[in-house]
Amino acid sequence: MTPRRRGMWPAIALAAAAVVLGIATTALMAASGAFHRTGPASWRAQGARCSAPAATGTAVDVTAWDMGGMMRGPNRPAPNHHLRPGWYGMGMMRLVAHPSTVPAGRVTVRVVNAGILTHEVIVLPLPAGRSAGERAVGSDGRVSEAGSLGEASRTCGAGAGEGIASGAAAWTTVTLRPGHYELLCNVPGHYAAGMYTELDVTR
């Protein structure tokens, strides 16, 4: 076997492992209900320590999901520590919002943390022609929050806090005009790992 061909096998093996891990992640999310179960009832079913109050206006229920300890190696911090950018660069985290389209006006974004790491949800307008997940990530593993309309990051409470603990809920109420918005987790490294989703607001 030539040196060139020998050098190809590690790359092929790594690509295959990434595909298998991605399929396994999707299956686990489907099994856990991350794609379908939203709202206070499902939070109680998942053993959440608290749930959001009734919505003011339209409700958008968001589930924050991560692979957690399944991806944590021996040299990585315990759950709920902030992670260095890139550790979850294979996209093994998700935000799932339901519904993804709402009418303009008062919207309560209700978040449940179904993972084991600390998360948050920031509401940002999407620039024209841009899609969710396209923001520039800084050297600190975060994106700019300039123009933020609201934040749900207080465990069992409304508004900004120190992050949503595992199994807890948080919420924020915002007034949204017609347009496109991005819901994202801005804990270091989480946006690059896939924690964003689009919310469309109609007239």
Side-chain angles (χ1 to χ4, degrees):
M1 182 179 293
T2 66
R4 183 177 178 182
R5 288 188 177 178
R6 281 199 303 267
M8 290 175 55
W9 286 112
I12 293 171
L14 183 60
V19 170
V20 170
L21 192 53
I23 293 170
T25 300
T26 303
L28 283 170
M29 289 177 71
S32 69
F35 291 129
H36 304 290
R37 293 190 307 186
T38 53
S42 69
W43 299 346
R44 287 192 293 272
Q46 295 174 35
R49 67 180 71 172
C50 54
S51 61
T56 300
T58 304
V60 174
D61 293 319
V62 180
T63 302
W65 195 91
D66 62 69
M67 287 290 286
M70 293 183 65
M71 294 185 64
R72 188 164 56 91
N75 297 319
R76 296 184 180 179
N80 291 329
H81 286 212
H82 287 188
L83 305 178
R84 290 187 302 181
W87 276 4
Y88 285 80
M90 293 177 70
M92 297 306 172
M93 296 185 177
R94 291 287 182 269
L95 284 184
V96 181
H98 182 78
S100 59
T101 301
V102 296
R106 298 278 282 177
V107 176
T108 298
V109 178
R110 306 186 298 194
V111 185
V112 61
N113 183 355
I116 70 167
L117 303 173
T118 298
H119 295 296
E120 64 184 15
V121 170
I122 313 293
V123 183
L124 287 169
L126 265 174
R130 301 293 297 274
S131 298
E134 295 182 350
R135 295 177 190 271
V137 178
S139 59
D140 61 353
R142 304 173 76 240
V143 300
S144 171
E145 294 182 13
S148 171
L149 301 174
E151 177 176 341
S153 59
R154 182 183 303 277
T155 295
C156 298
E162 298 301 315
I164 310 168
S166 175
W171 55 93
T172 186
T173 299
V174 295
T175 300
L176 300 179
R177 296 178 178 179
H180 304 287
Y181 298 83
E182 186 170 15
L183 309 179
L184 61 91
C185 178
N186 211 18
V187 171
H190 290 198
Y191 183 80
M195 295 204 77
Y196 51 80
T197 191
E198 184 170 326
L199 178 66
D200 298 321
V201 178
T202 61
R203 295 186 182 279

